[in-house]
Amino acid sequence: MDRHELRNVLLHTGLSPEAFELEGVHEHVPLPPDFWFLRRASDGRWEIGLYERGVHDVRETHDTEDAACRALHQALTGRPAPS
């Protein structure tokens, strides 16, 4: 799964577009006060976490975009990502 597929799946489940941000695919202007994010880390890995009050709180780091997308889907929906 990549960020484009994840965006489509999350929006299809009825999740608010303001609930998440996916680097380069689904970004906010202006920023909501809080949301989950997925972004590429400086070392090339992928980070997911929570943005609150101007601070990015990284909760997990993954080696692949697929693993990060699946982890973010689980965090936002409470269910495993579809295959």
Side-chain angles (χ1 to χ4, degrees):
M1 172 179 287
D2 67 17
R3 290 167 288 155
H4 298 273
E5 293 168 310
L6 178 60
R7 177 194 57 205
N8 294 340
V9 168
L10 292 175
L11 292 175
H12 186 261
T13 65
L15 196 64
S16 168
E18 291 189 353
F20 62 95
E21 181 172 279
L22 309 173
E23 182 179 79
V25 175
H26 182 87
E27 297 179 346
H28 303 291
V29 176
L31 288 176
D34 57 10
F35 54 86
W36 280 88
F37 65 86
L38 182 149
R39 66 184 184 187
R40 187 179 294 272
S42 60
D43 65 1
R45 297 177 76 205
W46 292 89
E47 300 174 334
I48 66 169
L50 189 59
Y51 174 89
E52 288 185 291
R53 301 184 190 130
V55 177
H56 285 91
D57 179 18
V58 175
R59 304 286 175 93
E60 297 179 16
T61 305
H62 298 271
D63 291 331
T64 66
E65 181 179 8
D66 177 70
C69 287
R70 292 180 181 284
L72 184 58
H73 182 280
Q74 177 81 35
L76 287 168
T77 67
R79 297 184 307 269
S83 299

